[in-house]
Amino acid sequence: MEEKWNEKKRHILQAAMKLFAANGYVQTTMQEIAEACKISKGSVYQQFSSKEELLLDIFKFFYKRLNDGMQLVERERHLSPKERLERKILVCLHLWVEYPEFFTMQMRENGGFVSQEILDYLKRMDTDISLIFIDSLVGLYGDGYAPYAPEGVLLLSGLMSTYLSLQLIEKITLEPDEICRHILHIVDAVAERVLREKPKPILDETNWPRLKEVFARSAKSSHPLLLAKRCRERLERLPEGEERNEALDSLAVLERELVEIRPRKVIVSGMLANLKRSPELADLLPELEAACRQAGLVRG
């Protein structure tokens, strides 16, 4: 039943996203969303208490897909720094190709995007994604590039969004791999020059205060899914047994919950409590629990 409920919610989210992109958030009614989904308006309200909550969940849906894709790249330990950056760019491009209406929705002038909760969420997600790319850029070009990394992220995101806009508005056909190669060529050229000439970055903490938050946070902090994978790998190396299998079952439930749009705190907390019974995970669980707490998935 829970799986069907989640599918229904995703269906509503995707239908609403398309309507917001075509008609605008303010102009779209919950009745129109219900009609697009071929369900009653009451059924929509069973899943979302308001249109604003629905809009917030659209952003959460998209950014969760984006962040989870980035963390899958981080799991690939064999990748070179350049391959890692390339894969992360492709995560963005493929996701935008999969959900062009999300990008179109953001390009529209939507007066409904003024909720402080939504603005705070978007700011937090933008910081998270910026940190991921800053980490990759510094990993590729070295510590000397660190002062230029925030502007490098602006260059990356600007190029990606420009090429996507051309495809949506001008109907130009470009393959994600082709765009990615070209973007990396430009970023390489700019990085080589700034490292050689060492100009003073135009952006700093005085004229862009949010950089303080970006620099204060560590881009190396582990995502809960990444830590859950490490726990599973350790358990799978243990001999077969009832306790091992129960721990793996709890971990499987936890991993499924972590990829949901709104992970349920009671499930996350319950599975973490179950995993504490496994002494083999004693050194990993505090880090996993801390990562879940930082992500707002457990209380306290």
Side-chain angles (χ1 to χ4, degrees), residues 144-145 147-148 190-201:
Y145 185 78
Y148 309 105
V190 172
E192 180 183 351
R193 182 158 183 174
V194 298
L195 288 171
R196 183 176 67 249
E197 298 182 1
K198 296 182 173 53
K200 181 181 178 181

Side-chain angles (χ1 to χ4, degrees), residues 65-130:
R65 289 287 307 272
L66 180 59
N67 193 47
D68 289 347
M70 296 289 186
Q71 299 307 324
L72 287 174
V73 173
E74 290 296 344
R75 294 186 190 188
E76 301 293 334
R77 300 297 184 187
H78 65 281
L79 296 176
S80 69
K82 189 159 190 174
E83 289 171 332
R84 194 175 302 282
L85 177 58
E86 180 181 11
R87 296 281 183 90
K88 289 177 180 178
I89 293 171
L90 285 172
V91 166
C92 295
L93 294 175
H94 282 296
L95 197 55
W96 282 344
V97 168
E98 185 179 357
Y99 296 104
E101 56 276 358
F102 178 84
F103 193 76
T104 304
M105 183 185 78
Q106 288 189 296
M107 287 194 300
R108 291 185 62 93
E109 242 183 82
N110 283 293
F113 290 1
V114 295
S115 157
Q116 192 58 49
E117 184 181 7
I118 291 175
L119 291 175
D120 289 344
Y121 179 79
L122 293 176
K123 179 181 175 182
R124 190 166 66 252
M125 290 304 100
D126 184 59
T127 299
D128 287 348
I129 300 303
S130 294

Side-chain angles (χ1 to χ4, degrees), residues 147-165:
Y148 309 105
E151 292 175 61
V153 173
L154 291 179
L155 175 62
L156 267 175
S157 60
L159 288 169
M160 285 191 286
S161 61
T162 298
Y163 287 125
L164 185 60
S165 296

Side-chain angles (χ1 to χ4, degrees), residues 209-233:
R210 194 159 64 86
L211 280 179
K212 292 180 182 179
E213 179 185 354
V214 172
F215 288 136
R217 291 172 53 185
S218 170
K220 294 290 187 181
S221 60
S222 294
H223 188 276
L225 276 173
L226 206 59
L227 292 166
K229 178 177 180 288
R230 287 167 58 191
C231 290
R232 178 160 41 80
E233 288 172 345

Side-chain angles (χ1 to χ4, degrees), residues 2 12 291:
E2 182 63 25
I12 296 170

